[in-house]
Amino acid sequence: MTTATLEKRIAAPEIRGAIWQLGSCHDTEVGLDGPGGTGKTFGILYYIHTLLLMYAGAKFLVARKYNTDLAGSALATYRDDVLDPDENIHFYHGSKEKPPAYMYPNGSLLIPNGLDKHGKVRSMEFDGIYINEATECSINDIEFCRMRLRKGKIPWQQLIMDFNPDAPTHFLNQRMIEGRTTRLLSRHEDNPRYWDRIKNDWTEEGRRYVLGVLGGLTGVRLARYRFGIWAAAEGAIYQDSWDRARNVVAPFKIPASWPRYLCLDFGYTHPFVCKWYAEDSDGRFYCYREIYKTQRLVEDHVKQIKALSRWGQPDGDPLPRQIFRDHDAEDAATFERHSGLYTTAAYKSVSEGIQATASRLRPAGDGKPRLMYFANCLVERDQELVRMKKPTCSIEEFDSYVWKQGSDGQLKDEPAKEDDHGMDTDRYLCATKDLKQSGVSYAKSIWR
Ligand SMILES: Nc1ncnc2c1ncn2[C@@H]1O[C@H](COP(=O)(O)OP(=O)(O)OP(=O)(O)O)[C@@H](O)[C@H]1O
Ligand SMILES: [Mg+2]
């Protein structure tokens, strides 16, 4: 007599290119390098999922620089596209001792964690670690992860990273050139959603996203996200003054005595930007909070600004001394009506404003710049901007903020008016504070 076993077969996705190569590559540090939407994140998560199913009791860390970014990116892909409800994988919310994790019936664990909040994973060890969008990380983050690999249930230990190309000088590109990280090149043709291998042509979705959205980018973003080139921006406005390592700092508690300023750049289809700055006793500005969001009305932004600022509440922000804004009178009136606060139109001269900002970004006599950003200042990442491969915060604009090019190819003395919303707010603050006359004048006879 034979016993029939009930078996449910779950269809596997088609795997191509770099992800296929990953399956047989056991090098300790691997980087999947490619333009937007080639299937890197999906493919890596599917690969990890298979390993966790195959090796009972295995542990994988899925990380990204900022914890808050994980939920909307890699974890969404994992939950929505990789997991199948019939596999009985459950999310465990964590306890005092154990971090939150996806638990497999065979005892394997997938642990999601932001590298900005090491928390309980600080003392843990893993069979493998995946860092999503690893170009956001520092070399210390990469080394922290490498140190957490241990010989466990999977016969090889691996740190897997994925990213879109950045500047050619980026340390990850250099690491791949030196051979310390194995580069696996991922291309649009690797993604069955966008490329039909039988017809040898783009799918309808591929045509829309790769040719339409990514093909519609310009300059350095086109090179990186459409063509996968580690390109540097030509004619970047702040190339001699902005240095991410110097101008982006770890957040700290801001003393209540430091004056605050708000800068606004209105937009709906383009992002609306609101930045909170604090000024220390030496006149240095720290941008400690930022909203960078499309498709939201001014009145809703005001609600969020009030909720985040918590003016008048214990531990809330002090009221801003001044609110600088662009010259859109209608949006300014809406903002004033809903917030009950006056705003000041910013000093208009663009080139003078750029000079003032550049001089604040450079180190002053004490070696410190006078304009800095908190590393985690962005309140929420706009997922539509992520999809469109547009900057999602001011820090991401610096790289692609370039001088306009004339038809003769010569750079003009004015910025290209694209992806400059966060740049405008810095300009408003620096120009109005450093260049604009205070408006207060004294009679000559004041000392008599
Ligand atoms: N092998 C595959 N089979 C079916 N769909 C896939 C496959 N690989 C990727 N996709 C789908 O294609 C889309 C883009 O994939 P994914 O987000 O993994 O790309 P990516 O290379 O990580 O993009 P980015 O560079 O923007 O992070 C997703 O909707 C994903 O589900
Ligand atoms: Mg991805």
Side-chain angles (χ1 to χ4, degrees), residues 8 21 30 46 67 80 123 141 144 156 182 242 246 274 298 316 322 364 372 375 415 418 428:
K8 176 167 173 25
Q21 292 169 25
V30 185
Y46 186 78
N67 203 38
D80 303 342
S123 54
D141 297 323
F144 168 84
W156 65 96
T182 304
W242 165 259
R246 182 183 64 218
C274 173
V298 173
Q322 254 178 311
M372 283 166 271
E418 203 179 340
Y428 299 157

Side-chain angles (χ1 to χ4, degrees), residues 11 80 82 90 99 175 247 266 281 314 334 356 364 370 372 392 402:
D80 303 342
V82 176
H90 299 292
R175 225 170 149 80
N247 296 99
F266 295 107
S281 49
T334 316
R370 285 174 303 134
M372 283 166 271
T392 59
V402 291

Side-chain angles (χ1 to χ4, degrees), residues 40-41 130 132-133 162:
K40 301 177 287 299
T41 303
Y130 163 40
N132 177 228
E133 305 287 351
D162 74 358

Side-chain angles (χ1 to χ4, degrees), residues 138 241-250 361 367 369 372-373 395:
S138 67
S241 41
W242 165 259
D243 178 352
R244 199 182 170 120
R246 182 183 64 218
N247 296 99
V248 179
V249 296
L361 288 170
M372 283 166 271
Y373 282 78
I395 293 175

Side-chain angles (χ1 to χ4, degrees), residues 64 75 178 205 259 326 358 369:
R64 190 164 169 172
L75 284 189
E178 288 162 17
E205 274 189 295
D326 62 31

Side-chain angles (χ1 to χ4, degrees), residues 14 35-42 81 133 164 191-194 389:
E14 185 184 342
T38 59
K40 301 177 287 299
T41 303
F42 171 83
D81 300 342
E133 305 287 351
N164 302 124
N191 186 348
R193 184 162 172 191
Y194 298 148
K389 294 291 177 197

Side-chain angles (χ1 to χ4, degrees), residues 288-305:
Y288 61 97
R289 194 181 292 130
E290 175 176 27
I291 294 176
Y292 195 106
K293 185 86 184 81
T294 56
Q295 314 279 328
R296 194 176 277 166
L297 297 172
V298 173
E299 57 209 77
D300 295 324
H301 284 304
V302 171
K303 281 186 201 140
Q304 193 187 16
I305 291 169

Side-chain angles (χ1 to χ4, degrees), residues 14-24 32 38-47 184-186 190:
E14 185 184 342
I15 297 296
R16 305 176 186 162
I19 299 295
W20 180 260
Q21 292 169 25
L22 177 66
S24 54
L32 277 95
T38 59
K40 301 177 287 299
T41 303
F42 171 83
I44 293 171
L45 286 166
Y46 186 78
Y47 174 62
L184 299 181
L185 278 178
S186 179
D190 297 348

